[in-house]
Amino acid sequence: MRQKILFATENEGKMKEIRQILGDMDVEIQSLREAGIHGDIEENGETFEENAAIKAREIARLTDAIVLADDSGLEVDYLGKEPGVHSARYMGYDTSYRIKNQSILDRLQGVPEEQRTARFVCAIAAALPDGGLLYSRGTIEGIIGYEERGEGGFGYDPIFFLPEYGCSTAELTMEKKNELSHRGKALRQMKKMLEEYMA
Ligand code: ITT
């Protein structure tokens, strides 16, 4: 039987990026929705790694599959690395990203470019059927822009600007974003570790 990987996320934006990178593995990849699992998990860890492990472990109790989870977020240096691990909860889970993004732009009003540095961070944890855990991490450095730009990606992408590319991550194709992004880097590392584990 083909090995199954369950990705413990309810974020459809993440799931699309994940499929593009892991899609060529010889495994079946399922989202929580596809597996019919609704995980209401308290992400109360203090680091991305802790939260990724909490999600992966919690869902692994419900399945025999390898369970992967991504915990990620935006660190804005001028805001003391907030929203960080609170990125999804910032101003409330259900608040639209138009409003969340505008709030960050407002809090950085008048702040010069050299102090607008920020990064996306992604930690991925894999809970293995033998009880083991694997971790990977990726980051991408950028600056907080001056307005929302682009329709691609999700979340904070429209305000995350890459000076060397002259655009926000919401203006990149998904292929290009995956090549450069925190999630792309963490997923490629994890893919290698899983291929070794399954060999
Ligand atoms: P799951 O826990 O179900 O995976 P979530 O959206 O709650 O979904 P996180 O707790 O990991 O996920 O929060 C990550 C948040 O960080 C996400 O909701 C975005 O606001 C932001 N984020 C992470 N990666 C991003 C990216 O590539 N582009 C834009 N925003 C991103």
Side-chain angles (χ1 to χ4, degrees):
M1 217 176 65
R2 239 171 137 215
Q3 178 76 256
K4 196 156 86 182
I5 291 182
L6 183 59
F7 216 111
T9 182
E10 296 192 319
N11 180 320
E12 296 295 327
K14 281 185 188 177
M15 203 59 214
K16 275 194 205 149
E17 295 178 6
I18 289 160
R19 278 191 194 292
Q20 206 234 338
I21 294 186
L22 301 187
D24 64 351
M25 288 177 82
D26 186 25
V27 292
E28 186 188 342
I29 297 171
Q30 273 197 334
S31 66
L32 282 184
R33 189 167 51 81
E34 287 163 339
I37 297 175
H38 176 71
D40 209 2
I41 300 165
E42 185 86 29
E43 293 175 33
N44 49 14
E46 283 177 18
T47 64
F48 295 107
E49 277 76 6
E50 273 179 61
N51 281 332
I54 290 171
K55 289 190 246 188
R57 276 222 169 96
E58 198 61 29
I59 300 298
R61 289 154 38 140
L62 310 173
T63 173
D64 292 333
I66 294 176
V67 178
L68 264 56
D70 157 315
D71 198 65
S72 45
L74 175 67
E75 291 182 349
V76 180
D77 291 326
Y78 188 77
L79 302 178
K81 299 203 174 170
E82 280 296 306
V85 290
H86 306 114
S87 292
R89 282 164 278 176
Y90 179 63
M91 301 182 82
Y93 275 107
D94 296 331
T95 304
S96 79
Y97 276 90
R98 273 270 127 77
I99 294 174
K100 296 190 196 208
N101 284 334
Q102 192 55 52
S103 147
I104 291 181
L105 293 175
D106 290 347
R107 293 174 70 188
L108 265 68
Q109 201 170 19
V111 174
E113 180 150 340
E114 62 276 14
Q115 290 179 46
R116 301 179 77 92
T117 50
R119 72 203 53 74
F120 276 129
V121 180
C122 174
I124 295 180
L128 305 172
D130 64 12
L133 270 180
L134 300 174
Y135 289 99
S136 67
R137 170 182 263 249
T139 59
I140 176 173
E141 300 288 331
I143 63 164
I144 299 302
Y146 296 89
E147 59 186 4
E148 283 198 294
R149 280 177 61 168
E151 302 295 328
F154 64 95
Y156 299 100
D157 279 324
I159 59 166
F160 189 76
F161 195 76
L162 300 174
E164 65 276 42
Y165 291 88
C167 67
S168 76
T169 43
E171 294 177 293
L172 298 174
T173 61
M174 186 170 50
E175 288 73 16
K176 191 70 187 173
K177 182 181 166 195
N178 270 343
E179 188 186 314
L180 305 174
S181 79
H182 52 315
R183 183 164 301 100
K185 291 172 188 165
L187 277 171
R188 283 189 292 273
Q189 253 183 60
M190 181 54 76
K191 188 177 175 180
K192 253 196 215 152
M193 290 193 273
L194 287 174
E195 281 168 346
E196 279 167 26
Y197 174 76
M198 292 186 297

